[in-house]
Amino acid sequence: MFPQFGATAESLSKASTLVFRIGTDAHLYDDPEDVNIAPLLDSKFDSEKCEALKRLLALIAQGFDVANFFPQVVKNVASQSLEVKKLVYLYLLHYAEKRPNEALLSINCFQKDLGDPNPLVRAWALRAMAGIRLHAIAPLVLVAVRKCARDPSIYVRKCAANALPKLHDLRLEEHTSAIEEIVGLLLNDNSPEVVGAAASAFATVCPDNFLLLGRKFRRLCEVLPDVEEWGQIILIGILLRYVIARHGLVKESIMFSLCQEKDWSSGKTVSEDDEQDFTVKEGAYGSGGTLSELANMIFHCYIERPDEYLSRSSSPNKGFPKLEASQFSSSSNDDVKILLQCTSPLLWSNNSAVVLAAAGVHWIMASQDNVKKIVKPLLFVLRSSYASRFVVLCNIQVFAKAMPSLFVAHYEDFFIHSSDSYQIKALKLEMLSAIATESSVPFILKEFQDYIKDPDRRFAADTVAAIGLCAQRIPKMANACLEWLLTLIKHELVCSGTQSVVGEDGVLLQAITSIKSIIKLDPPSYEKVIILLVRSLDTIKVPAARAMIIWMMGEYCSLGEIIPRLLSTVLKYLAWCFASEALETKLQILNAIAKVILCTKKDDIGSLQRVLSYAVELAENDLNYDIRDRSHFVKKLFSRNLESQQNEEEENDKSQNRDLSYVLAQCIFGGQTKTVTVPSEPINSRFYLPGSLSQIVFHAAPGYEPLPKPSSLPYNELDQYDGAASGEFNEDDPDASGSLDEESASDYSSEHSYTGSSDVSHSDETVSGHQDNHNTDPLIQISDTANGGKNQNGVSHPDTADFGDLLSTRALESWLDEPPALSTESTMEQGRARRSSARITIGNIRSRVKTKCYMLLDPANGNGLKVNYSFSSEASSITPQLICLDLFFENCSLESLSDIVLIDEDSSKGSDSANQTSLSVESTSNTDIPTLVSMEEISSLEPGQTEKRTLQVHFHHHLLPRKLALFCSGKKFPVKLRPDIGYFVKPLPISVEDFRDKESHLRGMFEYVRSCTFTDHIEELNKDNNSLTKDNFLVICESIAVKMLSNANVSLVSVDMPVTTNLDDASGLCLRFSGEILSNSMPCLLTVTVEGKCSDPLSISVKVNCEETVFGLNFLNRVVNFLAEQCHTQS
Amino acid sequence: MLQCIFLLSDSGEVMLEKQLTGHRVDRSICDWFWEQAVSQGDSFKQLPVVASPTHYLFQVFREGITFLACTQVEMPPLMGIEFLCRVADVLNDYLGGLNEDLIKDNFVIVYELLDEMIDNGFPLTTEPNILQEMIAPPNIVSKMLSVVTGNSSNVSDVLPGATASRVPWRTADAKYANNEVYVDLVEEMDAIISRDGVLVKCEINGEVQVNSHITGIPDLTLSFANPSILDDVRFHRCVRFRPWESHQVLSFVPPDGQFKLMSYRVRKLKSTPIYVKPQLTSDGGTCRVNVMVGIRNDPGKTIDSVTVQFILPPCVLSADLTSNHGTVNIFSDKTCTWSIGRIPKDKAPSMTGTLVLENGLERLHVFPTFRVGFRIMGVALSGLQIEKLDLLKSVPYRFYKGFRALTQAGEFEVRS
């Protein structure tokens, strides 16, 4: 048991630690390979398997590759022990991608586990299966997820939601809509736990699918406080995006007011209460314009994509695109209001990420008065874990930059503790200098004075810089700051006089930089300061600091009275110590001398020129080429200028002898620096959404999405959708897992007008060109009016019965075991108020069926030969596995075409004779099924002539296009025949009773439901709007039936129509179709149930019961696709 | 979403890796990380978000263990950080502490926990009570059992009932012979005293910690006598927002066992219970230190565990410090700790001594900050008072209520 015990027990201390480690897995981690793992894995005892798996896990933890055990581990997936299962899953997920083939072996076990009565087992199976990431099993996973999305256990549904991003990650384009459908379903879930996970799936799978959110928005807002914390973070972001896209920005928000301020250029239009808000700020910062510009930019960054930003910054016209009035809505908008209402309690959340997310919403959407709400919670979050402090502070900093007034009163919270990390200290300093006002600045400066004595000199230097910033922001304090900086310099000089202490230089340098920036504000009044600094040149040793002082001297050499008098002495001193200076100081000395010469009066020029030539001479012989370059440059510039001045000494007027080089020198050295009131903020930096990763790392992280364009979601699009939605609501109810609160749903739908019907009826061209057949009314047989009878008990209206058992609120038994479920259902059925339904028979529906034609060969590509094909409903005479196609050949050219034949591409390669037709049939006839029974050859086709041929193809049950070769007049055209899964079945005429019987055997995993919207009937209804002879229901039934039969080779079994419902409500209409899979003669049953109002787009749910799961699923997708297809796209 | 979580030991060794999504993260990222950490020192360790050449890293550092999470795409950084903190907390609870050995010894549990806590990079179950039901924490009994029988499973066979209920944070079937609720007010005092001896900032950050053992699903209400003094609050998710908004009453269904019900903050306090007066005078290459500690405002209860701690400035070569009460320790990292314990009634404790400065340095120009620690049992210095705690519905059993309070120093700093 303790392999290491004997070896390590020499020392007592080790033994004592061992006592603590007894019973833990320590020995496994320390020495995972001290026994042979392989036989343990094959052991029949769970405990030994466990040990082996733990050893493998230990190896994984230590970074070893143990993928070679994969086959042995996979075997154990069938173990009954949950611990073994868990360990196997952990191993499996770690290596599944490396060993895809072996991973496939485990699929059956997962499938079995998915039906386990223990929800934990189901959830684990789903998680593991989805985590395997193999394209081959993606359809199966999708089925499993769909199933689990309706699971009675919340935990399983939550896992289903988490599985969706895994599926999405495989990039299965064909399943996108199905995945989104499940997302929608889970967002509707009545458990907040599931909604949270679904929100995360939504954010990964389809973050821009706002239509999916439209009708759920309110419910999502209301449920938000109950969602678990992690889901809240994501959901808040989704809801914010939706509101921006739907309603645009809010007029009362700071975002808008600041944009306005900028648009009106002088900030005059700030409304009155804003003025109150901003008085402090205006007073404190002099120019509110720069600030609002910054804020304006921040907000523009929020809605701007990186590419837009780049194009804007590179274009000469740097202005921001103006936001139109239509992109704004008022805060009284209901959606905005409810979002703000539901996010404000989240500011009290224990999770700092939730607080920040909620604060972000208020920051962007809330009106000016309400934004204050976020301040205290944000500051309180600052006291949470060390790691999150930094992130929160980064975000607060952006808020404070845009709107300092928010944080003005809370400056105390940014006082620095010695335990803060350096990054946090720096951020806090920045905050303090940004929010300082006249009233608070004395306290802040007092704090700063304490900080300067901190042992961390880097921090002290930053503090000095912050003092400079404060002084610039609040000019009234400039003098106090300056004085204080000067004493600091004096103090520093004394302290570091003998020995330069590490970090001390930085403080001094910062002090002088700060002084420089203060002097810039108003140079004339600080003349004495400059002199003071220049005098201290003797003691200041830091080269950068010296350079800066020399620069100041050069810059302000003509200032005031005393400085010009000092100049020649100082310059002499500088020239004298030139050789011993550092690089940057030398450069500045040269510059300073040049500047002085440029603006000095003539009387000193002689001595100055000597200084210059001395310095230049020294510089010319310097070791550093930068300095040599500079000296050459200065020399060249000034030699002529000085000469000319000397030569024409009598001339007083400078302007006359101002030659080119003088002007040049003036431009280079004499450029007066403008007085800058506010230091130019890093206005070019980018800002990102509050709480985002990009905001912390200062670049757009992959996957960063700015807010959607305000009001980018078109109103009519949504309205139309709402119209459709209103019809869908009842259907939605059973569809949702868990019982959706019907009250709230209907409440919401009632607020929207139905504009859908008028919108859709735009095209007058008819779908099925059978208007003439309209008068032949179908024969109605009311076969069963009161449908509560004994024999048809429980199945009278399939919509409720069938979906009923999908309801997760039911007991688990009803979901897992079919037979008892049926009995309970039937009793429930009887208990319910009975809705009777009538059965209709539509007589001549077959005659109206028009199959769809596809283009096989375009005349442009085929030398004028046009070939269309359509699937025929006839069964093949040779073997049932062949699918019959009708080919239509048309000669569109002006010449006649000859020898047209269509053969299989593969067989054409094998034989090159012209008579492949017979050959191919013969050669393939020895194999069990021919791949292609070719048509008879068309010997010649005259211009304009049309020929029809029949072709029988064996698609091998694949959905891939079949490559064929078409020969015409000796030329070969490769063509592709696309199979239609709708014709992989053949009609199976059965009675309704048989249908139900079969259906009852094909439940559970063999049953899939999807829903879609159907609009074909609207056109039909509008066509004969005024004729009262036609019944709405019939039209709907007919159009559905025609569409079904035109696209799939099935037979219509029955049509059930509700009788008691009101005339306009088509809900309850139910059509049944049946077919038989060609290849294996398995029955495939289709049930189409209709919900919604007659005149609106109908919501249709299609259910397939089929033993062959993959086929059934594909078939269902096909059916849903063509039912939802707009009619006019049909040719 | 998070792609991978690594647990690194003190020496940079990867103790554990857990891949979360199909996009595997190679553990070489840890080498990069450790190199940076070594070359950049402490300030890197304290950077929670790091952009590495290939991934964005979130790091949380707890008791020598670095929790590292990687992502390649945009996600709320706080979500990653908070999650890592939660992982650290849960592991701390489970293992009874956090250190390299504990993690290694219980690596299977760590794996199992991580697997339950996060699915595909998105947090799944993070409620500690629920986790404990899913995966049993290691305890003496289970350890002994595993020794005796050779095997024991710590993975529960059934899903905790709470996951299906309306209160996902509470076990549905809690049963106790003695029903009891203990409410603790645990407060931390943050204060800054400037070099002039002025109280710059003084505030209380407090928590209401509840330990509840009640049968069934109780609905509790807790109210304060003076809720108006609270500056800001944060709640456990079980607290309903409405009653707090309308009349500042906490209404909640508690989780089973120990949990943090709310945290609060009271700002702008006027005084501290004790004073610490450091005096530093330096000339001639040495520095005289004298620190006095005493009671300023007697809170009525004994103040104990008083400590004063400071870091000697880098320019100090050696220090010789003695005290008239308690013990003074100077550690190799230049941390100096004076443990006073309980402040005696008869004399004011003081610490005196000299610091020898670096050669050539005449006077001390940087001054350390003194961090003060203390503990007062039985008093909530913020003045917050619990008015009553009620069960909403009348229940057939009796239940006991207990209240306690504790104040200790948080970031209590005295500058010199």
Side-chain angles (χ1 to χ4, degrees), chain A residues 20-26 29 47 54 57-58 60-63 82-83 86-87 90 94 97 118-120 124 127 133 153-155 158 162 165-166 169 190 192-193 200 226 228-231 233-234 345 348-353 356 376-377 380-381 383-392 410 412-413 415-419 421 423 446-447 450-451 453-455 457 495 498-499 504 691-694 696-697 699 701-704, chain B residues 14-19 22-24 27 43 46-49 51 56 58 60 72-79 81-83 85-86 104-108 111-112 115-116 118-120 122-126 134 143 146-147 151-159 163-164 166 168 188 190 192 194-196 200-201 203 205 231-237 241 244-245 260 263-265 267-268 314 359-360 365-367 369 371 411 413 415:
Chain A
F20 286 111
R21 299 175 81 178
I22 284 175
T24 67
D25 299 315
Y29 192 92
S47 61
K54 283 178 179 176
L57 214 53
I60 291 177
Q62 289 164 30
L82 252 74
E83 191 177 19
K86 181 98 219 169
L87 293 169
L90 281 169
H94 196 83
E97 221 173 355
N118 186 347
L120 200 59
W124 282 0
R127 283 172 58 189
R133 275 177 59 84
S153 160
I154 291 176
Y155 185 71
K158 214 170 145 184
N162 278 337
K166 299 183 197 173
D169 197 43
N190 69 336
E193 297 278 307
S200 131
D226 295 327
E228 41 92 37
E229 46 195 333
W230 312 107
I233 305 166
I234 306 289
W348 291 331
S349 169
N350 225 343
N351 189 320
S352 62
L356 188 58
K376 276 189 178 180
F380 193 27
V381 172
R383 186 63 170 56
S384 61
S385 74
Y386 279 94
S388 54
R389 275 181 206 190
F390 174 75
V391 178
V392 176
H410 300 272
E412 270 183 16
D413 282 305
F415 284 175
I416 288 157
H417 289 276
S418 60
S419 56
S421 73
Q423 287 90 356
K446 220 169 195 123
E447 271 292 297
D450 277 0
Y451 299 161
K453 289 177 188 145
D454 197 277
R457 297 322 280 169
C495 279
T498 44
Q499 187 189 3
E504 236 35 74
S692 67
L693 177 60
S694 307
I696 307 299
V697 296
H699 64 252
Y704 173 79
Chain B
V14 184
M15 291 190 289
L16 215 124
E17 93 177 66
K18 172 95 178 85
Q19 304 283 346
H23 307 278
R24 299 168 59 86
R27 55 166 70 197
S43 67
Q46 287 165 332
L47 207 61
V49 183
Y56 300 103
F58 303 120
V60 167
Q72 274 181 312
V73 292
E74 169 71 46
M75 66 171 282
L78 274 184
M79 187 162 148
I81 292 165
E82 280 275 341
F83 178 75
C85 289
R86 194 67 58 89
K104 283 183 176 174
D105 293 355
N106 299 288
F107 74 100
V108 176
Y111 261 118
E112 285 166 351
D115 198 54
E116 279 311 320
I118 188 161
D119 183 16
N120 196 36
F122 187 76
L124 184 66
T125 311
T126 49
M134 294 177 109
K143 278 181 190 172
S146 83
V147 171
N151 76 312
S152 77
S153 168
N154 55 353
V155 180
S156 160
D157 284 351
V158 287
L159 199 62
T163 54
R166 276 276 167 196
E188 284 191 358
D190 288 4
I192 298 177
S194 76
R195 298 196 200 280
D196 314 336
V200 174
K201 171 179 149 183
E203 64 178 40
N205 282 284
D231 193 62
D232 202 9
V233 286
R234 289 167 73 183
F235 298 123
H236 187 274
R237 67 181 292 202
F241 293 128
W244 178 261
E245 254 173 343
K260 189 172 92 183
S263 31
Y264 58 87
R265 169 159 120 141
R267 293 175 70 218
K268 310 221 187 230
N359 289 336
H365 65 293
V366 290
F367 298 94
T369 302
R371 308 192 56 190
E411 292 171 339
E413 296 187 351
R415 296 174 185 148

Side-chain angles (χ1 to χ4, degrees), chain A residues 1048-1100:
Chain A
N1049 198 9
V1050 288
S1051 61
L1052 179 64
V1053 176
S1054 74
V1055 180
D1056 282 351
M1057 186 175 81
V1059 168
T1060 49
T1061 47
N1062 48 355
L1063 282 172
D1064 198 28
D1065 191 4
S1067 307
L1069 204 61
C1070 170
L1071 290 90
R1072 295 191 182 83
F1073 301 89
S1074 69
E1076 191 178 71
I1077 301 174
L1078 283 176
S1079 56
N1080 50 14
S1081 308
M1082 283 181 184
C1084 183
L1085 310 176
L1086 274 174
T1087 313
V1088 178
T1089 323
V1090 179
E1091 292 279 334
K1093 299 217 169 181
C1094 287
S1095 49
D1096 287 333
L1098 294 171
S1099 154
I1100 286 190

Side-chain angles (χ1 to χ4, degrees), chain A residues 836-891:
Chain A
S836 44
S837 67
R839 179 148 305 144
I840 331 166
T841 310
I842 305 175
N844 52 351
I845 195 79
R846 273 282 164 197
S847 65
R848 290 182 51 191
V849 168
K850 188 199 170 200
T851 51
K852 210 168 170 180
C853 256
Y854 303 92
M855 173 90 64
L856 186 66
L857 186 67
D858 196 74
N861 295 331
N863 270 354
L865 180 67
K866 176 175 161 186
V867 187
N868 284 342
Y869 67 96
S870 69
F871 290 91
S872 105
S873 53
E874 283 164 40
S876 161
S877 51
I878 302 168
T879 145
Q881 316 221 351
L882 290 174
I883 291 162
C884 293
L885 291 125
D886 289 329
L887 290 167
F888 303 94
F889 293 84
E890 191 182 348
N891 189 346

